[in-house]
């Protein structure tokens, strides 16, 4: 599978063959089941962006086996890849984005892939694709309820719903869903949340007024699924929570990080006090120090913004990254400890002593989604169970 191999194989990828990311699919299955218990309604598991850097096809298979009812991706290409994969041919898949003039739309419709529709132009294109395919396009009509991004604007809700009803009556589309997306669900008590929920109810009313009765109404992302029962409707769409990270930690859920990222020490040198470290000498040693070199950098998704702040687990404890993180390497302060080349380095781990993607997000001023999806292609991903 693309960039994924069985865990027991030797690691030959990455800078000098000294890096790997291993996904524990048992943890993903655990997270699916834990979130399903909280939600109490069917789940669309979001496996877009290569399943947040974990591997789309294997993650999708595990999520479906663990009880996810549907799979969500962004592009038609992702959806088509899932539809053509062993074990997923009959699992419902929804693609959120497509261009009205995008080639191959009729083939996607014929394959039974659901389409997110965020504009009148997309609705017309989906209807035309349904006619060409000889089977109705399954569409989920999206209303912009305050994200101010994708979705039909409120002043066009009635027009879009009526157009969708007309195309459904003609046999060109089936309105399978009505949905929206929350902007501030991870900020409990943010006024936008109440405003968006009220707007979503108005959108659903406009859909119903046109005579449409979608199979599923869906609004909740990971944060809303966990923190706000009013957003769960007929289906939830967890993303980052599937992979072990809770965007609303004040609402505890038993989630387990799925991926670990490890490397090895490539070299160690003793440097005297006053030595400047890496580009710009943004760190200067205050005392004689053993400095370890780790062969990963921002080309591999290690955030440069975490320079002089990040920590890794090396030789039995957390140690600070010093100096600027470079394209292919970074340096670690080992003090007087006799660290040796070849010693394992844990960048993202599952143990309480290990850094995780939340830590890297804090150090880099971002979110764990960004950290995980940014893991580069030079880091080979390995499975912990044999999925062909």
């Amino acid at each position: 599978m693309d960039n994924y191999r069985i865990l027991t194989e030797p690691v030959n990828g990455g800078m000098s063959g000294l890096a790997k990311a291993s996904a524990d699919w048992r943890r993903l299955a655990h997270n699916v089941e834990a979130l399903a218990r909280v939600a109490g309604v069917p789940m669309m598991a979001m496996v877009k962006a290569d399943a947040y850097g974990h591997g789309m096809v294997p993650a999708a298979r595990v999520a479906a086996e663990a009880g996810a009812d549907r799979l969500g991706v962004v592009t038609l290409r992702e959806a088509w890849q899932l539809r053509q994969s062993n074990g997923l041919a009959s699992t419902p898949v929804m693609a959120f984005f497509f261009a009205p003039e995008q080639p191959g739309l009729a083939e996607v419709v014929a394959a039974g892939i659901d389409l997110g529709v965020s504009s009148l132009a997309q609705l017309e294109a989906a209807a035309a694709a349904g006619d060409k395919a000889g089977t109705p396009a399954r569409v989920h009509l999206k209303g912009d309820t305050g994200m101010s991004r994708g979705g039909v604007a409120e002043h066009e809700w009635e027009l879009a719903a009526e157009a969708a009803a007309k195309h459904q009556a003609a046999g060109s589309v089936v309105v399978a869903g009505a949905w929206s997306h929350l902007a501030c669900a991870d900020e409990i008590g943010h006024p936008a949340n109440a405003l968006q929920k009220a707007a979503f109810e108005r959108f659903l009313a406009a859909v119903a007024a046109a005579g449409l009765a979608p199979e599923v109404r869906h609004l909740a992302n990971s944060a809303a699924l966990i923190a706000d029962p009013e957003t769960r409707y007929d289906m939830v769409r967890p993303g980052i929570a599937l992979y072990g990270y809770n965007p609303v930690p004040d609402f505890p859920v038993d989630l387990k990080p799925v991926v670990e990222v490890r490397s090895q020490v490539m070299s160690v040198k003793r440097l005297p006090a006053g030595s400047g470290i890496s580009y710009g000498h943004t760190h200067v040693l205050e005392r004689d120090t053993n400095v370890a070199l780790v062969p990963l950098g921002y080309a591999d998704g290690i955030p440069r913004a975490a320079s002089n702040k990040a920590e890794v687990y090396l030789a039995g404890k957390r140690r600070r990254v010093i100096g600027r993180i470079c394209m292919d390497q970074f340096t670690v302060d080992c003090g007087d400890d006799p660290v040796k080349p070849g010693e394992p380095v844990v960048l993202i781990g599952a143990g309480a002593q290990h850094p995780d993607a939340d830590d890297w997000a804090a150090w880099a001023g971002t979110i764990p989604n960004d950290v995980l999806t940014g893991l580069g292609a030079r880091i080979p991903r390995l499975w912990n169970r044999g999925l062909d």
Side-chain angles (χ1 to χ4, degrees):
M1 201 66 61
D2 294 347
N3 204 30
Y4 288 78
R5 293 171 296 174
I6 304 302
L7 184 61
T8 54
E9 291 185 6
V11 180
N12 297 313
M15 182 71 168
S16 303
L18 300 180
K20 65 178 181 180
S22 40
D24 187 334
W25 298 126
R26 294 166 299 186
R27 290 173 172 264
L28 176 57
H30 167 89
N31 295 340
V32 170
E33 293 165 358
L35 291 167
R37 286 192 296 270
V38 173
V41 296
M43 174 188 300
M44 177 185 288
M46 298 306 301
V47 293
K48 63 180 180 174
D50 200 30
Y52 290 56
H54 292 66
M56 181 180 69
V57 171
R61 290 177 183 166
V62 172
E65 289 172 7
D69 303 88
R70 304 178 189 227
L71 302 169
V73 292
V74 168
T75 68
L76 299 186
R77 182 176 182 179
E78 290 173 318
W80 188 259
Q81 186 179 353
L82 289 177
R83 178 56 74 240
Q84 298 301 308
S85 298
N86 291 337
L88 295 173
S90 61
T91 304
V93 176
M94 177 179 169
F96 284 26
F97 289 0
F98 69 95
E101 302 301 324
Q102 190 163 347
L105 194 56
E107 288 77 9
V108 169
V109 169
I113 293 167
D114 290 10
L115 301 173
V117 167
S118 294
S119 68
L120 288 165
Q122 285 184 319
L123 177 61
E124 295 302 317
D131 291 339
K132 182 177 180 181
T135 188
R138 290 176 51 84
V139 302
H140 294 236
L141 192 61
K142 183 178 184 181
D144 181 4
T145 57
M147 184 78 167
S148 303
R149 197 179 61 173
V152 178
E154 184 161 6
H155 69 273
E156 291 187 320
W157 287 350
E158 182 179 349
L159 180 62
E162 290 176 351
K166 177 181 177 181
H167 286 305
Q168 181 165 280
S172 301
V173 305
V174 169
V175 179
W179 66 297
S180 190
H181 192 60
L182 296 164
C184 305
D186 57 345
E187 299 181 50
I188 307 304
H190 195 291
N193 294 325
L195 292 173
Q196 281 201 260
K197 287 189 289 184
F200 190 55
E201 287 292 330
R202 295 196 301 274
F203 174 63
L204 294 177
V207 170
L212 297 170
E215 298 170 12
V216 288
R217 304 160 300 163
H218 46 111
L219 178 63
N221 55 9
S222 290
L225 181 169
I226 294 168
D228 191 350
E230 293 180 352
T231 65
R232 293 170 191 162
Y233 288 92
D234 306 312
M235 184 174 71
V236 293
R237 305 187 309 263
I240 190 63
L242 291 172
Y243 307 102
Y245 293 92
N246 185 348
V248 281
D250 288 342
F251 293 77
V253 180
D254 181 22
L255 301 177
K256 301 179 184 297
V258 173
V259 74
E260 293 192 345
V261 180
R262 295 174 178 259
S263 186
Q264 297 179 30
V265 172
M266 189 163 68
S267 64
V268 184
K269 63 179 70 174
R270 184 75 172 175
L271 294 175
S275 296
I277 305 297
S278 194
Y279 288 117
H281 285 182
T282 59
H283 181 86
V284 177
L285 295 179
E286 296 180 354
R287 57 186 175 81
D288 294 358
T289 304
N290 293 329
V291 176
L293 184 66
V294 179
L296 287 174
Y298 59 77
D300 305 292
I302 312 306
R304 188 173 183 269
S307 298
N308 290 306
K309 292 177 281 188
E311 297 176 348
V312 297
Y313 187 80
L314 167 60
K317 65 181 181 181
R318 293 256 201 132
R319 302 176 189 271
R320 189 160 67 94
V321 173
I322 53 175
R324 283 187 181 153
I325 294 170
C326 306
M327 183 179 289
D328 312 300
Q329 54 202 290
F330 62 85
T331 49
V332 179
D333 184 344
C334 297
D336 295 324
D337 294 340
V339 174
K340 298 178 181 179
E343 292 212 44
V345 179
V346 181
L347 286 81
I348 296 175
Q353 74 275 34
H354 296 150
D356 61 20
D358 276 332
D359 292 322
W360 281 94
W363 294 324
T366 184
I367 56 176
N369 316 45
D370 185 23
V371 173
L372 294 170
T373 59
L375 294 174
R378 295 195 303 190
I379 303 177
R381 277 70 156 173
L382 294 92
W383 298 341
N384 77 333
R385 63 184 249 197
L387 297 172
D388 53 20

